[in-house]
């Protein structure tokens, strides 16, 4: 199944989509949520094309239309932002002052409603971004688990702060408090999970939110609108459907955004941060580009290495920020490595996302297959070749993975984050060359090291942990488990996201302090006993 005609046959013809995996009907979203109200949009709308194509009677293939959503502008983004500002009300709003136990109850209500929409949301993830059904289900379930874990973490955080501390004659109570209005934007590859990785902790810490869904992966939030509206007080979540380039710089230029939560590109993040009139006031929580390398040492277990590299490079078609995007293999085993990895690529199932066991599925648009082709042509023109048979063949959005060797400095594939089914391989003689690649990279998220010699691995880990934020030994790069810190250096991230770290990222410690005198003690006792403050209290959330 490696040439264009064969790939075309993998798309369904009319009436060949299994009925259980069809969308019940296209989703033509016209309402949006602002200040606790659903408003109806009567203006221009954008048609949503699925990565999944259908074979036509005339032999062509066409991306299927699965719905549409509003194309709003600055007036609507102003309204969404003003609603979030008003709900925050300079920290005096219902949500930022609400006791944490009540906020938790709202979030639990939201999760209950979300779980009821599982099937529809999973189906929309699959149809909007072409993620396999199994991975779409995994994304949904992992997100629910993340919310549940975050609720537990916020409970613990609050309970640990429910006491007074005394130091140097000063009584203090220290709690984490919200930052203000958060603009949340997630990526298309994990539209639900990565959006909620910032949105949920931001909400639980008492911030209000403007939420802009990603360009691909918009409709899947539609089944959650009712829950957004009913689970939280008015204006806590406000949505905007608009081209990012039009409304996002505009919202930042207003100076009303306190936190920019973006999982996207470093170029966009750099531009956006500069728009804020007082840049020191803007907090940024960013998950950005990455070009994670795998370093394969001469004594690596090749069977394990190939298995992990394949998963690392090609899970969800290589569209993971944590994907292995450059394989650096010791020259003594590069031929055997190439032989084995091309064989393993040849065994991957390519097809439609609902097919059991499928690995390679359609990319989000024709521009992505065009980019893959461009990157391969560039590498070929500069001396590399596609090693696997049929690598780089494509039909519309379906792209057959290509193992490209030898990749070297000057080729797009050497430095650019391909974010697709391309597997660049280079060989090295001295491990210093592999280290130099990581050091000279603009990215600093993770690396994988494959080998078994404790002396060599030990010596390699020490410089690598100061270049990236996670060194994976004999396994692919990945984000999880979600309680571990997910961070990056250089152009790869700002801030750390994990269940616990995200709660910190969206809050700041604030404290109440008084001299350690009988009068202060009486005052604080009275406030606590009579529940005069949500902040000064020693209550325990069970
Ligand atoms: O795209 C970036 C994701 O956070 C990667 O997550 O390693 O669990 O696939 P993952």
């Amino acid at each position: 199944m490696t040439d264009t005609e064969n790939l075309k046959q993998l798309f369904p013809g009319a009436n060949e989509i299994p009925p259980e995996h069809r969308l019940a009907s296209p989703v033509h979203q016209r309402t949006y949520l602002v200040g606790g109200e659903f408003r109806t949009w009567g203006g221009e709308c954008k048609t949503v094309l699925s990565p999944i194509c259908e074979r036509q009677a005339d032999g062509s293939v066409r991306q299927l239309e699965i719905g549409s959503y509003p194309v709003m502008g600055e007036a609507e983004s102003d309204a969404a932002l003003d609603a979030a500002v008003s709900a925050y009300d300079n920290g005096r709003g219902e949500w930022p002052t609400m006791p944490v136990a009540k906020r938790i109850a709202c979030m639990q209500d939201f999760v209950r409603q979300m779980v009821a929409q599982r099937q529809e949301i999973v189906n929309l993830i699959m149809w909007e971004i072409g993620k396999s059904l199994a991975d779409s289900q995994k994304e949904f379930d992992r997100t629910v688990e993340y919310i549940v874990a975050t609720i537990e973490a916020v409970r613990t955080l609050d309970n640990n702060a429910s006491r007074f501390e005394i130091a140097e004659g000063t009584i203090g109570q220290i709690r984490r408090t919200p930052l203000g209005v958060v603009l949340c934007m997630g990526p298309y590859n994990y539209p639900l999970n990565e959006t909620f990785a910032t949105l949920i902790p931001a909400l639980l810490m008492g911030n209000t939110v403007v939420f802009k869904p990603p360009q691909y992966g918009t409709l899947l939030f539609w089944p959650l609108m009712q829950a957004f509206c009913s689970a939280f007080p008015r204006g806590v979540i406000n949505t905007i459907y608009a081209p990012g380039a039009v409304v996002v710089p505009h919202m930042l230029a207003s100076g009303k955004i306190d936190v920019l939560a973006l999982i996207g590109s470093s170029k966009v993040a750099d531009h956006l941060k500069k728009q804020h009139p007082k840049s020191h006031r803007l907090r940024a929580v960013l998950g950005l580009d990455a070009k994670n390398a795998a370093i394969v040492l001469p004594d690596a277990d090749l069977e394990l290495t190939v298995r992990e590299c394949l998963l690392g490079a090609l899970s969800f078609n290589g569209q993971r920020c944590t994907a292995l995007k450059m394989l650096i293999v010791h020259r003594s085993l590069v031929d055997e490595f190439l032989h084995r990895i091309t064989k393993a690529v040849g065994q991957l199932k390519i097809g439609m996302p609902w097919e059991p066991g499928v690995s390679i599925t359609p990319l989000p648009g024709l521009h992505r297959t065009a980019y893959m082709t461009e990157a391969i042509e560039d590498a070929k023109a500069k001396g590399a070749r596609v090693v696997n048979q049929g690598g780089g063949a494509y039909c519309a959005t379906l792209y057959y993975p290509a193992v490209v060797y030898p990749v070297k400095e000057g080729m797009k594939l050497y430095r650019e984050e391909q974010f697709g089914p391309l597997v660049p391989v280079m060989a090295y003689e001295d491990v210093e060359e592999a280290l130099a690649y990581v050091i000279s990279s603009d990215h600093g998220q993770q690396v994988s090291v494959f080998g078994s010699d404790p002396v060599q691995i030990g010596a390699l880990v020490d410089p690598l942990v100061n270049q990236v934020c996670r060194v994976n030994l004999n396994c692919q790069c990945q984000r999880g488990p979600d309680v571990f810190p997910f961070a990056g250096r250089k152009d790869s991230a700002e801030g750390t996201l994990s269940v616990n770290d995200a709660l910190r990222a969206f809050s700041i410690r604030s404290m109440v302090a008084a001299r350690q005198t009988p009068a202060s003690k009486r005052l604080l006792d009275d406030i606590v006993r009579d529940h005069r403050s949500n902040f000064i209290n020693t209550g325990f959330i069970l």
Side-chain angles (χ1 to χ4, degrees):
M1 283 294 175
T2 53
D3 64 21
T4 304
E5 194 47 45
N6 285 333
L7 290 173
K8 186 192 285 183
Q9 296 308 316
L10 297 176
F11 288 117
N15 303 319
E16 282 179 9
I17 299 167
E20 65 276 24
H21 298 306
R22 287 174 191 279
L23 277 183
S25 57
V27 179
H28 293 293
Q29 178 171 346
R30 293 295 176 270
T31 50
Y32 58 105
L33 181 62
V34 174
E37 281 171 13
F38 287 113
R39 297 188 184 173
T40 303
W41 175 249
E44 188 196 340
C45 286
K46 183 174 164 60
T47 299
V48 179
L49 296 179
S50 173
I52 301 166
C53 302
E54 189 180 74
R55 270 183 288 117
Q56 307 296 305
D58 64 4
S60 65
V61 294
R62 208 170 55 209
Q63 286 179 258
L64 287 165
E65 284 189 25
I66 54 170
S68 58
Y69 59 80
V71 182
M72 300 172 176
E74 291 181 354
E76 291 73 29
S77 72
D78 286 345
L81 184 51
D82 288 346
V85 169
S86 155
Y88 192 71
D89 192 15
N90 298 305
R92 304 174 66 185
E94 182 184 355
W95 187 247
T97 56
M98 188 181 276
V100 171
K102 280 197 181 173
R103 272 194 226 134
I104 288 177
C106 293
M107 191 57 81
Q108 285 169 330
D109 178 22
F110 174 75
V111 186
R112 267 190 298 275
Q113 296 189 56
M114 176 177 169
V115 168
Q117 302 293 332
R118 181 179 187 270
Q119 195 179 341
E120 199 175 346
I121 295 171
V122 164
N123 219 14
L124 280 167
I125 296 177
M126 185 176 83
W127 276 95
E128 272 195 280
I129 62 166
K131 186 173 274 192
S132 72
L133 177 60
D135 283 349
S136 301
Q137 289 166 334
K138 217 185 286 170
E139 175 165 352
F140 184 93
D141 296 340
R142 177 181 180 180
T143 307
V144 171
E145 283 161 24
Y146 180 86
I147 300 174
V148 172
T150 305
I151 289 173
E152 282 316 307
V154 86
R155 196 195 308 267
T156 305
L157 195 65
D158 199 67
N159 283 338
N160 290 343
S162 269
R163 64 194 180 92
F164 292 100
E165 290 176 41
I166 298 176
E168 296 174 27
T170 302
I171 309 171
Q173 180 159 31
I174 307 161
R175 284 187 189 280
R176 298 204 74 92
T177 56
L179 295 166
V181 173
V182 180
L183 173 60
C184 273
M185 293 183 290
Y188 84 79
N189 62 332
Y190 276 91
L192 182 72
N193 182 265
E194 294 232 334
T195 302
F196 278 17
T198 60
L199 187 123
I200 300 299
L203 288 174
L204 275 169
M205 293 315 291
N207 302 282
T208 61
V209 165
V210 175
F211 161 48
K212 194 188 98 54
Q215 191 187 357
Y216 307 103
T218 300
L219 299 175
L220 63 96
F221 291 100
W222 172 238
L224 291 173
M225 282 300 155
Q226 191 55 47
F228 281 152
C229 181
S230 66
F232 303 104
R234 299 165 75 83
V236 170
I237 301 184
N238 307 279
T239 57
I240 174 77
Y241 295 83
V246 175
V247 298
V248 180
H250 175 73
M251 282 193 277
L252 282 155
S254 73
K256 296 177 187 172
I257 303 275
D258 300 296
V259 188
L260 170 65
L262 167 75
I263 315 294
S265 83
S266 58
K267 207 168 135 204
V268 168
D270 284 348
H271 172 67
L272 293 180
K273 283 175 72 173
K274 286 184 199 135
Q275 307 307 308
H276 198 287
K278 293 197 174 181
S279 54
H280 63 275
R281 286 197 187 182
L282 182 71
R283 295 283 182 105
V285 180
L286 309 173
L288 306 171
D289 340 316
K291 179 86 173 166
N292 294 340
I295 302 175
V296 182
L297 298 169
D299 60 354
D301 170 345
L302 266 191
E303 195 183 321
L304 173 150
T305 304
V306 166
R307 192 171 62 236
E308 290 288 329
C309 284
L310 193 74
L311 270 180
L314 293 176
S315 298
F316 189 32
N317 312 310
Q319 299 172 113
R320 294 162 60 227
C321 62
T322 47
L324 288 175
K325 297 181 181 121
M326 171 60 81
L327 309 184
I328 309 176
V329 185
H330 191 261
R331 193 169 297 285
S332 63
L333 37 74
V334 73
D335 290 341
E336 181 60 16
F337 178 86
L338 288 170
H339 171 70
R340 291 192 188 206
I341 201 160
T342 53
K343 189 167 165 215
V345 169
Q347 287 165 351
L348 292 178
K349 181 166 175 179
I350 178 164
M352 295 302 107
W354 53 78
E355 292 174 26
V358 73
S359 287
I360 302 297
T361 55
L363 303 180
L366 302 179
H367 63 295
R368 293 307 297 156
T369 43
Y371 174 80
M372 300 306 142
T373 305
E374 193 185 312
I376 286 194
E377 290 310 318
D378 170 76
K380 279 191 195 158
K382 292 168 184 161
R385 65 197 159 86
V386 172
V387 181
N388 58 319
Q389 199 194 351
Y394 67 96
C395 175
T397 53
L398 210 43
Y399 195 91
Y400 195 78
V403 179
V404 185
Y405 175 80
V407 170
K408 46 181 197 254
E409 183 83 86
M411 297 176 182
K412 280 178 186 292
L413 277 178
Y414 189 78
R415 288 296 185 200
E416 287 181 19
E417 179 182 28
Q418 64 268 34
F419 219 75
L422 302 183
V423 188
V425 182
M426 61 185 265
Y428 71 91
E429 302 278 358
D430 183 335
V431 77
E432 280 298 324
E433 296 166 49
L435 200 49
Y437 177 83
V438 177
I439 291 172
S440 57
S441 170
D442 276 337
H443 303 103
Q445 190 198 66
Q446 300 188 17
V447 67
S448 288
V449 176
F450 294 92
S452 53
D453 175 8
V455 175
Q456 188 164 27
I457 291 185
L460 202 48
V461 162
D462 291 355
L464 283 173
V465 288
N466 293 343
Q467 284 297 322
V468 298
C469 286
R470 175 163 163 166
V471 178
N472 301 277
L473 301 182
N474 293 311
C475 59
Q476 63 153 324
C477 297
Q478 62 181 33
R479 174 185 176 142
D482 288 333
V483 289
F484 283 168
F486 182 50
R489 299 169 187 267
K490 302 191 235 179
D491 290 350
S492 285
E494 190 170 331
T496 301
L497 286 173
S498 74
V499 169
N500 286 297
D501 288 299
L503 292 173
R504 288 178 173 77
F506 289 102
S507 60
I508 187 166
R509 284 186 302 170
S510 188
M511 67 178 290
V512 171
R515 293 205 192 290
Q516 190 185 5
T517 62
S520 297
K521 186 177 175 305
R522 265 196 312 280
L523 179 65
L524 292 170
D525 271 348
D526 287 354
I527 293 173
V528 169
R529 187 192 59 232
D530 299 333
H531 305 291
R532 300 292 180 196
S533 163
N534 288 331
F535 188 97
I536 304 173
N537 83 71
T538 54
F540 199 80
I541 312 171
L542 285 176

